[in-house]
Amino acid sequence: MLSLASAATWLRHDLLLKKIWANWAPLHFLRSFQLDDLREKRWWMSAEADRAVENLILEMYEGLQSGETVSQSLARFAESAGENNLKKALRMAMEQHGKGISLVHALRSHIPASHKFGQLLIRAVEMQLQHGSDLGPVLVHMAEMIADEELSRAELQGKTVESRWTAWILAVSPVMFVLYFWAADPQLLEPLLRVSWGMWAIVYGLTSWVIGLLVLRWLLVRIRPDKHPLHELVVVMEFMVLAAKSGVNLSQCIESVSNPEGNRYEKLMASIAQEGKKGIPLRQSLANWENHEDIPEAKRLAHNLSTALSLGTPVTHLLERQSRLLRRSNRSRVEKQINALPLQLTLCTMFFLFPPVFVVVLIPSIINFLTASW
């Protein structure tokens, strides 16, 4: 009786907690806030966010050509038809800017730092406000950059869609076999529990399956363009191109992208900028970078920058050309990994995903054969 009373009390408490969770306003608000926050993060990671920034850039270009200021162009786009997270962020940023906060700081506080093109736009606005340069050519370059990246993303997704579906099918196949045998006749799996080494076969199958899932995830993640150190250099170069189009020299371009807490190449640019403040010539810093760099494309970039500095080559054209070369090299690397993916998936299947199927399908029959009385 005591156990029944305790169970009834626990059930009442459990139902009460569920009712509170479902109906209490603060908890409901917290649950919806978490979901909204997750949806917003996913939106900023999607191609839709890139297209929204591209539309903003085109609208800003048209507005600046017609005589509007940057603030007016941003405000007009934020109030235009069609709602998305970018327009919501711009409205909050413009509200802060109206209260006296600088436009760049307001934009940075509402546009995620992880969104590359949003941060490029903020950097372009900052350069225009600091140096008074023409923002039109910078916006055109950014629109072309976004369009090129969208095209590359679509091509890569088209090339990897078969491999991704194959990986998912391979991953769930052992589970589907277990569920099928369990639904058809649970006695088919009973031999695995009847002998002592059957449990070891189950442990081996589960371990092999988990390792196979991890290997599949690693194979699919590593082909993403943003999972290579070269991508970090591409992002830094794109920021430097924007700075160069604003009319600054190479030293100022390097200083504009320096960040002691950023990625590998932002830290490197911060180190070069610090050496410049100590009186070390820029050519020497670039030579040191070239000597210590282990990525061939980055080593070539350091050499070309040092050579251009010696010859007096215009910085803007040099950085644009190097940025295009780096993007092409990064894309070529990804395509090579995509071409090697079918063979890698086959090997993963043979060594990690087929053994669990073997354990479920063949091991019970082998046990029955070995333990049968003849």
Side-chain angles (χ1 to χ4, degrees):
M1 292 298 295
L2 182 60
S3 60
L4 291 176
S6 301
T9 304
W10 177 86
L11 181 60
R12 285 197 301 271
H13 289 170
D14 183 63
L15 293 175
L16 179 61
L17 290 174
K18 289 181 178 179
K19 187 174 181 180
I20 292 175
W21 174 253
N23 299 313
W24 193 37
L27 287 178
H28 180 71
F29 170 77
L30 177 62
R31 189 168 65 243
S32 62
F33 176 78
Q34 291 174 341
L35 292 175
D36 291 342
D37 187 53
L38 179 61
R39 291 193 195 100
E40 184 175 350
K41 288 181 179 179
R42 290 179 63 87
W43 186 88
W44 282 107
M45 296 170 59
S46 66
E48 184 181 354
D50 294 345
R51 288 192 293 270
V53 174
E54 183 181 9
N55 293 333
L56 169 60
I57 290 171
L58 296 176
E59 290 281 343
M60 286 182 63
Y61 179 76
E62 294 177 358
L64 293 175
Q65 292 296 106
S66 62
E68 289 183 343
T69 63
V70 174
S71 300
Q72 290 172 340
S73 300
L74 292 174
R76 180 170 56 83
F77 179 82
E79 300 299 334
S80 60
E83 180 64 14
N84 56 46
N85 289 313
L86 175 61
K87 292 183 179 180
K88 183 172 67 174
L90 288 177
R91 284 197 297 270
M92 291 188 291
M94 298 310 296
E95 182 179 351
Q96 283 190 348
H97 179 55
K99 296 178 180 178
I101 298 176
S102 68
L103 179 60
V104 173
H105 181 75
L107 290 172
R108 282 199 175 121
S109 62
H110 292 289
I111 295 180
S114 59
H115 193 263
K116 180 180 70 173
F117 294 120
Q119 294 301 314
L120 280 172
L121 179 60
I122 295 172
R123 186 66 62 88
V125 171
E126 183 180 21
M127 291 292 177
Q128 195 270 344
L129 294 176
Q130 288 179 352
H131 303 284
S133 55
D134 185 9
L135 193 57
V138 177
L139 295 176
V140 172
H141 175 76
M142 288 183 60
E144 293 174 351
M145 188 190 308
I146 296 175
D148 180 66
E149 182 142 332
E150 287 181 350
L151 180 61
S152 300
R153 184 191 292 121
E155 291 179 355
L156 291 176
Q157 286 180 347
K159 291 179 180 179
T160 59
V161 61
E162 181 180 355
S163 299
R164 284 186 277 115
W165 275 104
T166 302
W168 278 109
I169 293 172
L170 293 175
V172 301
S173 58
V175 179
M176 297 304 297
F177 273 108
V178 171
L179 294 178
Y180 171 75
F181 282 109
W182 184 264
D185 186 3
Q187 296 299 321
L188 295 174
L189 301 177
E190 186 269 339
L192 290 172
L193 304 176
R194 196 170 62 219
V195 296
S196 59
W197 57 273
M199 186 59 66
W200 289 106
I202 294 175
V203 172
Y204 168 71
L206 287 174
T207 304
S208 178
W209 181 64
V210 171
I211 294 175
L213 290 181
L214 296 176
V215 172
L216 282 178
R217 184 179 182 278
W218 177 74
L219 289 175
L220 294 178
V221 168
R222 69 191 290 264
I223 64 175
R224 287 171 48 183
D226 58 340
K227 293 301 180 179
H228 191 270
L230 187 59
H231 179 264
E232 299 176 349
L233 182 58
V234 171
V235 175
V236 170
M237 286 298 299
E238 289 170 350
F239 278 108
M240 291 179 65
V241 169
L242 293 184
K245 283 183 173 292
S246 300
V248 300
N249 57 35
L250 182 57
S251 299
Q252 292 172 318
C253 289
I254 292 175
E255 189 173 357
S256 68
V257 298
S258 61
N259 183 6
E261 299 179 356
N263 62 41
R264 170 185 174 183
Y265 290 102
E266 289 175 340
K267 293 178 181 177
L268 175 64
M269 297 303 168
S271 175
I272 294 176
Q274 284 296 114
E275 290 177 354
K277 293 178 181 178
K278 295 178 181 178
I280 300 176
L282 180 58
R283 285 184 57 189
Q284 182 178 342
S285 299
L286 294 174
N288 293 335
W289 175 20
E290 180 184 359
N291 294 331
H292 294 90
E293 182 59 58
D294 54 350
I295 298 179
E297 293 85 355
K299 182 184 289 288
R300 192 182 311 121
L301 171 63
H303 176 76
N304 292 337
L305 290 177
S306 179
T307 303
L309 194 63
S310 303
L311 300 177
T313 306
V315 177
T316 304
H317 300 300
L318 171 67
L319 293 177
E320 281 184 330
R321 185 167 60 252
Q322 294 298 316
S323 179
R324 285 194 297 268
L325 289 174
L326 287 174
R327 285 202 301 268
R328 193 177 300 124
S329 298
N330 196 36
R331 182 176 174 180
S332 176
R333 178 193 60 82
V334 174
E335 289 178 348
K336 289 179 181 178
Q337 291 180 339
I338 291 174
N339 293 333
L341 193 58
L343 175 60
Q344 294 168 343
L345 291 177
T346 302
L347 295 176
C348 178
T349 303
M350 292 173 56
F351 290 106
F352 299 111
L353 296 179
F354 179 73
V357 177
F358 177 79
V359 168
V360 173
V361 177
L362 296 181
I363 293 296
S365 300
I366 295 174
I367 293 175
N368 286 332
F369 177 78
L370 294 177
T371 58
S373 57
W374 298 89

